[in-house]
Amino acid sequence: MSMFSTGILVLTSPLHTLPLRIAPVLSSAAQVVERTLYVHLHPGLNLGAGGGQPRPVFIQPVVDLSSLITGLYSNAANVCGHLDVRVLLTNVRGTGVACNPFPSPQPLSHSPEVVLTDYALQDPGQSPLVAQCLQRYTGHCYVCTPGLASVLLHPQLQKLEEEVEEGQKDDWDSRSERMETYSEVVVGGTFDRLHGAHKTLLNISCLLANKRFLIGVCDQELLKKKVLKELIEPYALRVQRLQEFLQDVKPSLQYEIVPLSDPFGPSVIDAQLQCIVVSEETRRGGEAVNKKRLENGLPGLVLHEIQLLKDAHHTEMEEEKISSSSLRSRLLGTLLTDPKSHLPLVPYVIGLTGGSGSGKSSIAQQLEALGAVRIDSDQLGHETYRPGEVAYNRVLEEFGSDLINEDKTINRRALGRKVFGNKERLKALTDIVWPEIALLVKGRIQRAREEGKQVCVVDAAVLLEAGWTDIVHEVWVAVIPEEEAVSRIMVRDGVSQEDAVRRLQSQWPNTQQVEQANVVLCTLWEPEITQKQVRKGEGVQVLVH
């Protein structure tokens, strides 16, 4: 069966039967669509012959629908996690509206190339007619790619449903009462790497909102304590993805996305808001919002609580719920950006860097244990100061012969005092030393090539500052929270907290290093976890295989 980048799934089954069918439906759809899957709900839609060409209608925002959306995103995370699933709500609205939800076809961020349906075909001979009817129906609702293909999933579903245990049929608590809706609704969150739990929160908020939907997005101060904050997407990108998702889901709403620099934002001062959507985990935050509102002379908000989605794929070090922090941790050791090196592939050169206390050296040792040739740039740096070397003479010319010890070596402590706190003098020193170290590194790589070695790791704290990225295939950056780095430096070097902080502040911050990384690693946890990260690396595959 052909694969399509974007598809739209038209669900026709009654709401109370869909929970049983949704997992096999999504599993079947994932065999046809590989990137974005839109979901359009029209319970009871008749695509069979004799009924005429069906038209879209408004469906009521009932409690069943809210539960279905939660179950749909939960199942999607389990059976087709690679798909960007989006439940569309343009045709979901209460009474007192026009009868046609689509006066003109709605444009989507990604134009569907194929339409799929769970419609139960009674007569296989009518399959072509049903397919045509489905295509016309979908084209009336959404702007689709010319030559829209169609796939009837029902024959595949019958086989899959036979595998579902009979007991699951009673798991659905059918509740068809109307949902209470509100003119203006608010939510808050980080919304990093938009996932199923975010989408559930946003979709249900869109169900509840009739006019305006206010979304607060954590920024700056609120990100400081986040796990692996260096891997959080930039604010602008998170907002862009939110806007795209929401415009697809319910374009009739007025959306307002604002940055949050404190836990409350506009939720405690906006008199028009009526409802805040929370989870069992963030309910206390919602209660704190209401306390602040009362202090400000505003009425409290209705707290609408949704359930957390369990992550069926979580590991021991990850949360049981679907979360952005788990997704970020899974990125450790993986290729975040493709290498753009034109170097010979053998040996494959990994440039390893990271701030003081980041565990960079332990990662280099792990790579060395796997068979990589370790090139220690700090050790090579010492070699450049030896009498007779190019850098030796140039340093003395630039900084004075009073730096010479009795044994003719350079007194590096005295040299350090001459450049400390003086950016211009420090740059003068690094302009002399760094190019010489780079030449030595290249020499070690050439030697490894001649010896038939497959992988080299250049262990260099100044890899990025020195501009050595052109001599490596991949840049690996080790990161660690600043508090942990300070603690490690104090224990390792016997220095004060102030000195440890000062040392970190003299280096590139983690976020700046990560911007240039192909691979990011973190040594915050047990060595075995770091080792798993290391073994994910593309270059390491040559060693382990």
Side-chain angles (χ1 to χ4, degrees):
M1 185 177 289
S2 299
M3 288 295 288
F4 299 88
S5 176
T6 303
I8 185 161
L9 172 63
V10 177
L11 294 176
T12 66
S13 302
L15 285 181
H16 71 277
T17 67
L18 272 173
L20 171 67
R21 299 166 63 84
I22 200 63
V25 166
L26 291 171
S27 181
S28 295
Q31 298 172 35
V32 182
V33 179
E34 56 188 359
R35 191 181 73 171
T36 306
L37 180 67
Y38 293 108
V39 179
H40 172 89
L41 299 164
H42 190 150
L45 175 64
N46 180 15
L47 296 169
Q53 178 61 42
R55 295 288 181 183
V57 296
F58 279 109
I59 60 177
Q60 298 291 318
V62 294
V63 176
D64 270 0
L65 191 53
S66 174
S67 302
L68 172 65
I69 288 170
T70 303
L72 198 149
Y73 283 120
S74 177
N75 277 284
N78 294 340
V79 303
C80 56
H82 64 288
L83 283 181
D84 178 4
V85 176
R86 305 182 183 191
V87 181
L88 304 175
L89 300 176
T90 299
N91 63 325
V92 179
R93 205 174 304 177
T95 56
V97 294
C99 59
N100 184 6
F102 299 94
S104 60
Q106 176 188 334
L108 298 168
S109 301
H110 311 281
S111 295
E113 302 158 349
V114 61
V115 55
L116 311 98
T117 186
D118 65 338
Y119 179 75
L121 192 65
Q122 303 301 322
D123 180 2
Q126 291 189 353
S127 179
L129 292 174
V130 169
Q132 289 176 16
C133 188
L134 176 64
Q135 289 165 339
R136 288 195 297 268
Y137 172 87
T138 308
H140 183 89
C141 299
Y142 304 101
V143 177
C144 300
T145 300
L148 180 72
S150 60
V151 175
L152 308 181
L153 297 175
H154 189 65
Q156 302 167 55
L157 296 181
Q158 286 181 318
K159 181 180 179 182
L160 283 164
E161 284 175 357
E162 290 171 3
E163 301 172 5
V164 179
E165 293 184 10
E166 186 71 23
Q168 285 185 300
K169 293 182 180 179
D170 298 324
D171 287 349
W172 177 248
D173 176 20
S174 180
R175 296 170 294 164
S176 57
E177 67 263 25
R178 280 280 307 277
M179 285 180 70
E180 187 72 37
T181 58
Y182 306 91
S183 177
E184 309 204 7
V185 173
V186 63
V187 300
T190 306
F191 299 106
D192 178 45
R193 305 182 189 278
L194 206 60
H195 52 64
H198 292 142
K199 293 174 182 179
T200 301
L201 173 67
L202 294 168
N203 261 109
I204 291 178
S205 298
C206 287
L207 267 184
L208 293 167
N210 296 321
K211 180 184 174 185
R212 182 172 73 116
F213 181 18
L214 175 62
I215 306 102
V217 179
C218 297
D219 193 24
Q220 298 175 357
E221 290 298 315
L222 293 184
L223 301 181
K224 286 187 174 180
K225 299 296 183 182
K226 297 286 185 183
V227 176
L228 296 171
K229 63 180 181 181
E230 298 86 359
L231 291 176
I232 294 176
E233 295 170 321
Y235 174 81
L237 179 58
R238 287 180 281 138
V239 169
Q240 177 189 331
R241 291 185 171 163
L242 273 173
Q243 289 171 331
E244 180 188 292
F245 178 82
L246 294 168
Q247 197 59 36
D248 278 344
V249 168
K250 195 172 178 180
S252 61
L253 281 181
Q254 173 191 340
Y255 295 108
E256 190 177 336
I257 303 176
V258 298
L260 290 181
S261 55
D262 66 75
F264 301 109
S267 66
V268 296
I269 57 173
D270 191 327
Q272 305 304 313
L273 295 173
Q274 297 176 320
C275 172
I276 184 169
V277 185
V278 298
S279 68
E280 53 196 88
E281 186 181 61
T282 61
R283 185 176 184 88
R284 281 190 178 181
E287 291 169 348
V289 165
N290 275 343
K291 184 179 178 182
K292 283 279 188 183
R293 285 180 67 88
L294 293 175
E295 291 173 2
N296 292 337
L298 296 174
L301 302 175
V302 174
L303 267 61
H304 184 97
E305 185 176 322
I306 63 171
Q307 67 185 72
L308 296 170
L309 299 193
K310 291 192 178 297
D311 186 347
H313 308 292
H314 74 92
T315 64
E316 288 184 10
M317 63 169 282
E318 295 172 350
E319 298 177 272
E320 290 188 7
K321 63 168 187 172
I322 295 175
S323 73
S324 297
S325 58
S326 294
L327 295 182
R328 291 194 294 275
S329 71
R330 291 170 197 173
L331 293 174
L332 295 173
T334 66
L335 205 55
L336 302 179
T337 57
D338 292 331
K340 295 183 173 63
S341 173
H342 300 291
L343 298 170
L345 287 177
V346 180
Y348 198 83
V349 185
I350 296 167
L352 176 62
T353 190
S356 186
S358 64
K360 173 177 60 67
S361 297
S362 66
I363 293 170
Q365 290 166 5
Q366 290 190 26
L367 287 166
E368 191 174 23
L370 288 169
V373 175
R374 182 182 180 185
I375 301 171
D376 188 337
S377 67
D378 191 48
Q379 182 181 345
L380 295 181
H382 288 290
E383 292 184 19
T384 63
Y385 287 98
R386 289 177 181 171
E389 297 292 339
V390 173
Y392 176 87
N393 296 322
R394 290 188 60 196
V395 166
L396 293 180
E397 290 172 10
E398 180 70 32
F399 294 96
S401 58
D402 58 318
L403 294 174
I404 301 177
N405 292 315
E406 289 183 4
D407 60 359
K408 301 300 183 183
T409 60
I410 290 176
N411 185 331
R412 295 184 63 182
R413 186 179 295 273
L415 176 60
R417 286 196 293 268
K418 288 196 175 191
V419 301
F420 181 76
N422 188 325
K423 289 185 178 180
E424 288 184 7
R425 300 304 285 154
L426 179 60
K427 185 178 187 305
L429 176 62
T430 57
D431 283 350
I432 294 170
V433 176
W434 284 352
E436 296 304 313
I437 298 175
L439 288 174
L440 293 175
V441 170
K442 290 176 183 177
R444 296 297 194 278
I445 293 171
Q446 180 58 33
R447 184 193 302 174
R449 182 176 294 114
E450 293 167 357
E451 294 174 354
K453 302 298 184 182
Q454 295 296 304
V455 177
C456 292
V457 53
V458 178
D459 181 354
V462 298
L463 181 81
L464 299 177
E465 293 100 316
W468 295 344
T469 55
D470 60 341
I471 62 176
V472 302
H473 293 91
E474 293 180 18
V475 173
W476 288 23
V477 174
V479 298
I480 203 79
E482 183 176 317
E483 298 80 5
E484 176 66 17
V486 167
S487 175
R488 290 182 181 184
I489 294 168
M490 291 169 63
V491 171
R492 183 190 67 194
D493 301 339
V495 297
S496 66
Q497 182 176 356
E498 292 75 15
D499 286 342
V501 170
R502 194 178 299 117
R503 186 179 304 178
L504 286 177
Q505 289 175 343
S506 70
Q507 302 171 350
W508 278 22
N510 286 343
T511 49
Q512 189 176 358
Q513 296 196 52
V514 167
E515 286 173 1
Q516 297 194 40
N518 298 109
V519 174
V520 174
L521 306 104
C522 181
T523 62
L524 186 60
W525 303 281
E526 292 79 6
E528 297 77 19
I529 294 174
T530 305
Q531 192 169 50
K532 287 180 181 178
Q533 297 171 24
V534 169
R535 284 176 171 266
K536 289 182 188 178
E538 296 288 326
V540 179
Q541 298 308 309
V542 177
L543 297 172
V544 297
H545 294 299

